[in-house]
Amino acid sequence: MARKTANRRVGITDVAQRAGVSLASVSRVMNGNFSVDADIAARVRSAAAELNYQPNAVGRSLALGKTDTIGVVVPDLANPTFQGMLRGVSRAAAQDGYRVLIADSSEVSSEESILAGEARRRCDGVVLCAPRMNEAELEALLPSLRPLVLVNRSTADTETPSLVVDYGQGVQDLAAHLVELGHTTLAFLEGPERSASNQARLQGLEKFRVDNPEIQLTVLSGGSSFEAGHGSVDNVLETGATGVLAFNDLVAMGLLSGLHERGIDVPGEISITGFDDIPFANYTTPPLTTAAVPINDIGEQAWHEMRRLLGDGGDEPSHTTFQPQLRRRGSTGPAAR
Amino acid sequence: MARKTANRRVGITDVAQRAGVSLASVSRVMNGNFSVDADIAARVRSAAAELNYQPNAVGRSLALGKTDTIGVVVPDLANPTFQGMLRGVSRAAAQDGYRVLIADSSEVSSEESILAGEARRRCDGVVLCAPRMNEAELEALLPSLRPLVLVNRSTADTETPSLVVDYGQGVQDLAAHLVELGHTTLAFLEGPERSASNQARLQGLEKFRVDNPEIQLTVLSGGSSFEAGHGSVDNVLETGATGVLAFNDLVAMGLLSGLHERGIDVPGEISITGFDDIPFANYTTPPLTTAAVPINDIGEQAWHEMRRLLGDGGDEPSHTTFQPQLRRRGSTGPAAR
DNA sequence: TTGAAAGCGCTAACAC
DNA sequence: GTGTTAGCGCTTTCAA
């Protein structure tokens, strides 16, 4: 009823007053400090309950110098990979009583440093996921972001823990799988140029070329979305490739769909591989051969690294590399010719 | 309190000292207050730059009584619907300088109230998305959560803005679409029982039954995941239904995949519909007929409601209902018999 | 225009 | 064991 009058939320002072004790005692009770008389504790508790007291987290944070919150910066919340990673971090952090603040840079690399800084100011640490900013900018930013954990990106600074995926090896495994099936003409639909993981794939393919000089491999510009894959059908067909390495599962699904519309059989006429093994990859028609990245685990690990940093940070910062696992499914088959 | 001079972050005091001015002046400069001498402003700015000063958001929040952060509680971060909603809120809030704290209840309804309360204590408001808790619990929680916006759930309390989807109408549209195609035996694969949106669908189907007494409709227990759909193949076949209404797109995709493995043609032998129109629905084989829910818009609207609440909250709280749009795609076709 | 000082809500060191 | 009190970092009256 009285909207504007009852604006003030009840604070620790009100509880103390009502219980007839000091602020300190209320604080002690609320924090489960044992050195409080059972009688006082009971009085405080009932006073708190009657007033429906909710401790103010901001005041608490200021006094304690910590927020029990970490920030996670991702390039795109619509991307299943980052969603999985976010979920992994969030669940793992929640287990330790930490919350997650998200920041979505919408693939605008100039926003990243601002968002990361903002997040850091409100949180105890930041997880920077696949930043698109260049190396110089990243290095300049590092000090002010600590404690910082880097995912899908590494840096010269060895103090910053990083979790990366060996995309180069993964794409080589996929290419090798296609070669094994008899494919000799391949195409790679590349992803966003600024993405470090795309660079890693390209390097892997360079190595693959050296190891397999007899295989013809064309690199096509693509993207990271369904639309990119769907719109690449013509380009792919032009190369005459019978095996296509899509940047990721999304692109592969888009391509699959485009080929299906054209009446081109997969894997009968063309074999397709994805990357990431997002949950959907298992449920396409045909199911997608891909390189599985344990993205939830990576998120969980990212939290563990952060937790270490937040604690005494005894050990050395770790730099973990995850190896993608080849998943042979229906979208790849023997070469027709 | 012993101050650890070593790793203390630079605060406003340091800047003031370095610039030879008072705290108040630094604060004024940092907040773009115009009533400051240009000379002082310059001194402050350079001092801040030299010290690489980053204002502490917690201190600021405490003084201002606001955090510029809102909490979003979802039942499952792995669910594309909630991901889309989260993304919508996040992007819209970011436009207004607000951040989002996420809380994932992992479908544990008993966790929801705790998470929501926690979020509220750290934030200026909470968006509660598809809460699984019962009505009594929800109503009891409302007061302590305000400002609160409810998504995919309504309540008797009219003060709380809510954004809901007319799932009942959506599922009727889908059923009608199947009937139009000549299907007379239908099955509904229902979702989580505690989900309000599942109840809404069931009610819609009740109405459908009344309007279409000649149609046979079986309700099967299912779930909300691929696996639920994939595992329901036998049950679906047993009903003899030629048209299947899956709880959502995920379930539909699982079912699609399961039927494909059995060599059953969709839509030749069985027609399937999803719900939500997640991005993937357009790229399955065949593409999924579904009822499109503008989930990103809903997230955006949720933020707008919240913004209104955070402001003076002049207008009446709004209770918006979104109508799903039927998307006819390849997974439905004429009945075979 | 500027500075001194009083909080914002809570914790913890220090006395009693 | 319990209360008093000094901060945590910042904003904002209120005087000067």
Side-chain angles (χ1 to χ4, degrees), chain A residues 70 88-89 92-93 95-96 149 161 163 297-311 318:
Chain A
I70 63 163
V89 174
Q95 296 264 305
D96 293 315
V149 173
L163 308 176
D297 296 352
I298 294 177
E300 191 181 329
Q301 280 297 324
W303 164 247
H304 290 156
E305 289 299 320
M306 180 57 76
R307 187 177 54 187
R308 200 175 50 64
L309 254 31
L310 256 21
S318 78

Side-chain angles (χ1 to χ4, degrees), chain A residues 131-142:
Chain A
R132 309 307 201 204
M133 70 184 77
N134 64 44
E135 177 67 17
E137 202 180 346
L138 181 58
E139 298 232 23
L141 207 57
L142 290 186

Side-chain angles (χ1 to χ4, degrees), chain B residues 3 12 27 53 56 59-60:
Chain B
R3 43 183 54 180
I12 198 172
S27 174
Y53 168 64
N56 176 310
R60 190 157 200 278

Side-chain angles (χ1 to χ4, degrees), chain B residues 73-132:
Chain B
V73 184
V74 297
D76 181 10
L77 263 182
N79 185 318
T81 295
F82 304 134
Q83 288 162 354
M85 142 84 197
L86 175 64
R87 177 161 168 258
V89 175
S90 163
R91 296 209 167 174
Q95 296 263 306
D96 293 314
Y98 274 72
R99 312 280 158 257
V100 168
L101 188 82
I102 57 170
D104 174 1
S105 72
S106 304
E107 292 280 2
V108 181
S109 73
S110 59
E111 281 288 291
E112 286 178 332
S113 53
I114 298 168
L115 289 174
E118 277 238 343
R120 179 60 187 86
R121 259 168 263 150
R122 313 172 121 75
C123 302
D124 299 340
V126 170
V127 175
L128 208 49
C129 191
R132 309 306 201 206

Side-chain angles (χ1 to χ4, degrees), chain A residues 227-261:
Chain A
E227 292 72 21
H230 193 262
S232 297
V233 174
D234 288 333
N235 289 341
V236 165
L237 293 179
E238 269 175 26
T239 65
T242 60
V244 183
L245 301 154
F247 174 67
N248 63 19
D249 292 340
L250 255 37
V251 173
M253 287 175 72
L255 181 61
L256 207 55
S257 154
L259 290 172
H260 186 255
E261 287 168 13

